[in-house]
């Protein structure tokens, strides 16, 4: 599998400091003329050991930002693929605190180059304690948290804790969000704003929602500096299409699916994961042919 | 739990000063509880719903139509029935306690659920949506929703855990007869909470045409407040009826608490009567120590599930724990945020009632009064028996207890038949057999 390790270093150094690890990374890639590839895997699937392996394999195959999913009993934003993986991970005994190991492993493996964001339903963070979670995640080298069921209106504790510990906080916007809510969410987010491409849950789709491009434009107009698109992206071609207009392409179910089949040997599943990742990584690289190697968006 | 100590009375009067009438508190928060912990995609729909429902409650065209339906279709006002033979078992005949049942079981479709369903279904028409989805555990809310959908010409999809579709096969057939599509949910624990997850996923994807007709006082704002508004009629009628019949307010009000809609509906009219003690009875299942229960207040801690912060059965990581109850309608790991608020304020007390206690009370009401209650409601009856014994022990006589009989037990006949071994000589020998089979054997 083609790794991209090292190629971004000069751009990294040229990138403006955004006050956010993920923000810096995305800006560095923007300077290279492309969108970031953000890859999601649930921790603990099929078990903690193998899932660390899978996350690092995904990094080696070309994701720019890692999204570590915390398995949860009631994942209302997730479709069947991620639900199944989460259920299996929980049955395998994964614990919330295990996510810290993953953040550490990614930071070590990449020398801090690849930011690791945690994606967690809110009750898990609440139960851990909002400030303790932020403190421990920052200490483990994690970059921040994506919160699918926490809106900024309910997030006062999290905003304070993420400020205190220098973490990114990624809130979501959806095609149904009003202009007022886009403004509120853009102002509350750090790192990037997560634009849900469609009204729906995670899962591969034939087509990425046609409202995604408009939503990205509207979210930028509402003040967001970086907007990444998730839900439904599964192929390199879709990544190329979304990478044309978004600052990052978020892929989950399509990656998780490569690991699901118990009857396939683990090594073959890792190969499939890397092949899928490489295809997506290739997609974001051909999204903007001829883009300058400087940031072009004004 | 003892009756409210002085400390709680102080908290309570303080609460009145700070909050005004407890009965009229509006969301999104009830004290520290409630809120909107949902994906952003749903916020626009929740805002629209809040605006529309507030407008509707102030619109005589809406309230008039709802009142007409309740009179002509639901059968309201529901009667208040005094049950003296049952009351003899409530702390002893000499103690002279009186028990009154608020007969929500006599509503069309057989439970209190119809109050909320008709209110929301009329709102759906006002909002111009054409499709409703609902979750159901026992099937009562699903049946009520399918009924309103048939009446008002709405497309209806009901999500139901696969385990519950088997336990409550008769209600599945009822919903399908009424024209609803019933979708068995095969992920997770395959019970009510998973049905709610699936309904939320459907709602996110179809929110432009679809209303989520949530069946109890849980969920994101405005559901807890709005569903209370549609059920407050229970308490308002009951308060008037008992003043007329007993000549005074009751000493205590008892209701079962699943999500908490029937309890909040009857409590609400008495929240600001400090002398009336309010008791919510949760499913104690096989006992709180067994770990197999749905006693959120004795066995849970505050947390977030399905859009609201409230007491919740959860493990050390915040993962939702499975609940258990002989009654599907109380088998839910969280509870409406207004109850958590009343609990922490000390304005209402919540106690677990075990499966065994509920089934004993179920049988007692059948035998003494000729009324077959829902097993959910039997938890409130068992609670009343406990309150009577406690009053007698503490030397209080002539107490007046008001119990919300939230539903009738037709749907529970198969469960009760197995529980009491009544199906054996009808050729059904396997006590572990599921409801569908037992029901068939019965026919
Ligand atoms: C008859 C009856 N009572 C009570 C309940 C519990 O719901 P709630 O606590 O919202 O009243 C149900 C729910 O299915 C029910 O059918």
């Amino acid at each position: 599998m083609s790794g991209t390790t090292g190629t971004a270093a000069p751009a990294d150094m040229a990138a403006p400091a955004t006050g956010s690890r993920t923000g810096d990374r995305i800006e560095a890639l923007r300077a290279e003329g492309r969108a970031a590839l953000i890859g999601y895997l649930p921790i603990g699937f099929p078990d903690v050991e193998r899932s660390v392996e899978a996350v690092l394999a995904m990094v080696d195959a070309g994701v720019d930002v890692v999204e570590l999913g915390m398995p949860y009993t009631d994942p209302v934003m997730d479709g069947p693929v991620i639900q199944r993986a989460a259920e299996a991970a929980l049955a395998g005994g994964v614990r919330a605190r295990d996510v810290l190991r993953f953040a550490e492993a990614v930071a070590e493996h990449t020398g801090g180059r690849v930011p690791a964001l945690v994606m967690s339903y809110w009750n898990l963070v609440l139960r851990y304690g909002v400030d303790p979670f932020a403190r421990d995640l920052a200490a483990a080298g994690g970059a921040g948290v994506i919160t699918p069921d926490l809106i900024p209106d309910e997030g006062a504790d999290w905003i304070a804790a993420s400020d205190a510990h220098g973490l990114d906080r990624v809130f979501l916007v959806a095609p149904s969000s009003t202009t007022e809510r886009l403004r509120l969410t853009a102002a509350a987010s750090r790192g990037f704003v997560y634009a849900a491409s469609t009204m729906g849950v995670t899962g591969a789709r034939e087509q990425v929602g046609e409202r995604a491009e408009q939503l990205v434009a509207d979210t930028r107009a509402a003040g967001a500096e970086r907007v990444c698109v998730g839900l439904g992206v599964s192929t390199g071609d879709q990544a190329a299409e979304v990478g044309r207009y978004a600052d990052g392409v978020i892929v989950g179910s399509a990656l998780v699916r490569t690991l699901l089949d118990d009857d396939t040997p683990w090594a073959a599943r890792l190969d499939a994961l890397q092949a899928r990742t490489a295809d997506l990584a290739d997609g974001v690289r051909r999204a903007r042919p001829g883009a300058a190697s400087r940031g072009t968006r004004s | 739990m003892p009756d409210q100590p002085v400390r709680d009375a102080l908290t309570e009067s303080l609460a009145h000063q700070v909050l005004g009438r407890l009965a009229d508190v509006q969301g999104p928060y009830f004290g520290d509880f409630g809120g909107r912990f949902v994906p952003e995609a749903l916020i626009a729909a929740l805002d629209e719903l809040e605006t529309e429902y507030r407008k509707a409650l102030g619109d005589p065209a809406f309230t008039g139509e709802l009142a007409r339906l309740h009179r002509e279709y639901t059968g309201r006002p529901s009667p208040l029935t005094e049950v003296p033979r049952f009351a003899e078992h409530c702390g002893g005949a000499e103690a002279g306690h009186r028990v009154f049942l608020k007969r929500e079981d006599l509503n069309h479709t057989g439970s209190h659920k119809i109050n909320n369903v008709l209110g929301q279904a009329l709102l759906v028409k006002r909002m111009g949506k054409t499709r409703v989805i609902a979750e159901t555990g026992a099937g009562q809310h699903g049946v009520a929703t399918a009924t309103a959908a048939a009446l008002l010409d709405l497309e209806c999809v009901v999500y139901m855990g696969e385990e519950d579709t088997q336990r409550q096969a008769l209600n599945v057939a009822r919903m399908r007869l009424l024209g609803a599509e019933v979708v068995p949910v095969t992920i997770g624990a395959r019970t009510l909470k998973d049905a709610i997850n699936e309904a939320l996923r459907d709602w996110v994807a179809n929110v432009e045409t679809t209303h989520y007709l949530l069946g109890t006082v849980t969920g994101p704002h405005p559901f807890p407040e709005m569903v209370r508004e549609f059920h407050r009629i229970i308490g308002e009628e009951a308060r008037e009826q008992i003043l007329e019949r007993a000549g005074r307010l009751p000493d205590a009000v008892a209701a079962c608490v699943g999500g908490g809609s029937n309890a909040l509906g009857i409590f609400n009219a008495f929240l600001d009567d400090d002398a009336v003690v309010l008791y919510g009875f949760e499913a104690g299942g096989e006992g709180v120590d067994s770990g197999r229960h749905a006693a959120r207040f004795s066995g849970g801690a505050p947390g977030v599930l399905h859009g609201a912060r409230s007491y919740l059965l959860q493990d050390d990581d915040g993962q939702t724990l499975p609940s258990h109850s002989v009654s599907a309608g109380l088998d839910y790991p969280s509870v409406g945020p207004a109850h958590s608020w009343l609990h922490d304020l000390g304005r209402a007390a919540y106690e677990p009632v075990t499966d065994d206690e509920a089934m004993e009370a179920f049988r007692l009401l059948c035998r003494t009064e000729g009324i077959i209650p829902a097993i959910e409601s039997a938890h409130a009856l068992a609670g009343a028996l406990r309150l009577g014994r406690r009053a007698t022990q503490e030397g209080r006589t002539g107490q007046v207890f008001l119990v919300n009989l939230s539903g009738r037990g037709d749907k529970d006949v198969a469960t009760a038949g197995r529980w009491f071994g009544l199906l054996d000589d009808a050729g059904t020998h396997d006590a572990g057999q599921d409801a569908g089979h037992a029901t068939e054997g019965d026919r």
Side-chain angles (χ1 to χ4, degrees), chain B residues 110-113 138 140-141 215-217 256-263 329-330 374 376-377 406-408 411:
Chain B
S111 80
H112 69 293
K113 297 283 179 188
Q140 287 307 98
H141 175 59
T216 185
V217 287
C256 66
V257 183
S261 64
N262 87 86
L330 305 185
E376 289 80 7
S377 318
S406 57
R408 63 174 173 245
K411 68 183 175 61

Side-chain angles (χ1 to χ4, degrees), chain A residues 71 74-75 87 95-96 123 154 176, chain B residues 29 36 41 188 193 304 317 320:
Chain A
D74 299 279
E87 213 173 27
R95 300 294 309 269
N123 198 50
E154 302 283 3
S176 61
Chain B
Y29 302 102
R36 273 188 179 172
K193 102 182 156 63
V304 164
D317 277 6
T320 310

Side-chain angles (χ1 to χ4, degrees), chain A residues 266-291:
Chain A
W266 179 243
R269 285 188 262 169
L270 283 183
D271 283 346
L273 171 67
Q274 291 202 309
R276 176 49 56 100
T277 308
D279 177 41
L280 292 159
D282 184 55
V284 293
R285 280 169 180 75
R286 60 190 152 80
R288 304 175 200 161

Side-chain angles (χ1 to χ4, degrees), chain B residues 31-354:
Chain B
D32 289 337
F33 302 99
R36 273 188 179 172
F37 296 87
V38 289
E40 166 67 24
L42 293 176
I43 299 298
L46 293 170
D47 279 341
E48 180 196 9
L49 181 61
E50 180 179 3
T51 306
E52 280 301 322
Y53 124 76
R54 292 238 158 94
K55 256 197 273 179
L57 287 191
D59 178 354
F62 178 88
T63 52
E65 175 63 1
L66 185 57
R68 184 191 68 79
L69 278 177
H70 276 336
R71 206 168 50 241
E72 298 173 5
Y73 190 73
T74 311
R76 302 206 73 91
S78 65
L80 188 75
T81 304
E82 181 163 13
V83 284
R85 284 190 12 93
F86 179 83
E88 286 176 16
H89 299 263
C90 186
E94 319 73 49
H97 303 316
R98 300 176 72 185
V99 177
F100 293 84
L101 304 184
K102 178 60 175 165
R103 300 294 303 279
E104 293 297 298
D105 61 316
L106 295 179
N107 293 337
H108 181 45
T109 72
S111 80
H112 69 293
K113 297 283 179 188
I114 193 80
N115 302 328
N116 166 48
V117 164
L118 287 177
Q120 286 197 49
L122 286 180
L123 265 184
V124 174
K125 293 302 252 189
R126 270 176 83 100
M127 292 190 291
K129 294 188 174 183
T130 54
R131 178 174 178 266
V132 292
I133 54 174
E135 82 294 344
T136 199
Q140 287 307 98
H141 175 59
V143 166
T145 305
T147 299
L151 179 71
L152 297 174
D153 191 21
L154 297 163
E155 188 189 340
C156 177
V157 176
V158 179
Y159 290 96
M160 189 168 185
E162 190 180 44
E163 186 150 330
D164 291 332
T165 60
Q166 289 163 4
R167 283 198 283 197
Q168 308 281 340
L170 210 59
N171 269 343
V172 174
R174 280 171 89 192
M175 289 182 268
R176 290 184 173 147
L177 277 174
L178 292 161
E181 182 189 344
V182 179
V183 180
V185 175
T186 57
I187 193 102
R190 302 168 190 221
T191 59
L192 180 58
K193 102 182 156 63
D194 308 281
I196 295 176
N197 292 340
E198 223 27 42
L200 285 168
R201 291 181 188 118
D202 179 319
W203 202 28
V204 171
N206 300 296
V207 68
E208 274 158 37
T209 58
T210 299
H211 174 68
Y212 181 10
L213 213 159
L214 188 66
T216 185
V217 287
T218 55
H221 177 67
F223 284 106
E225 175 195 322
M226 178 178 72
V227 177
R228 175 198 69 194
E229 288 304 303
F230 289 138
H231 279 304
R232 70 191 294 161
I233 191 167
I234 305 172
E236 284 167 0
E237 287 176 5
R239 194 172 189 282
E240 216 170 279
Q241 290 165 321
I242 201 148
L243 281 173
E244 191 184 307
R245 300 276 292 285
R248 65 180 181 90
L249 288 173
D251 295 288
V253 178
C256 66
V257 183
S261 64
N262 87 86
L264 201 57
I266 197 161
F267 286 178
N268 205 63
F270 302 95
L271 281 182
D272 297 286
D273 297 316
D274 292 355
V276 180
V277 188
L278 307 173
Y279 286 94
F281 293 99
E282 306 183 276
E286 294 169 11
V288 174
D289 295 337
S290 73
R292 286 174 56 75
H293 60 80
R296 290 71 44 107
F297 292 110
S298 335
V304 164
L305 179 69
H306 295 147
R309 182 170 187 274
S310 197
Y311 277 78
L312 172 66
L313 299 181
Q314 56 183 324
D315 71 10
D316 290 344
D317 277 6
Q319 305 289 356
T320 310
L321 287 172
S323 52
H324 167 83
S325 170
V326 64
S327 90
L330 305 185
D331 197 347
Y332 180 62
S334 189
V335 63
H339 288 290
S340 293
W341 167 67
L342 294 172
H343 172 270
D344 281 12
L345 274 181
R347 180 62 193 96
Y350 297 84
E351 302 182 12
V353 162
T354 63

Side-chain angles (χ1 to χ4, degrees), chain A residues 220-237:
Chain A
R220 284 196 183 119
E225 287 174 65
R226 287 166 294 280
V227 185
C228 302
V229 170
L231 299 193
V233 183
S234 60
T235 66
D237 288 345

Side-chain angles (χ1 to χ4, degrees), chain A residues 246-274:
Chain A
D247 300 303
V249 181
I250 306 168
V251 183
S253 299
L255 297 171
V256 178
R257 188 189 292 279
T258 62
L259 301 177
L260 272 186
D261 183 15
D262 276 339
D263 297 332
T264 308
W266 179 243
R269 285 188 262 169
L270 283 183
D271 283 346
L273 171 67
Q274 291 202 309

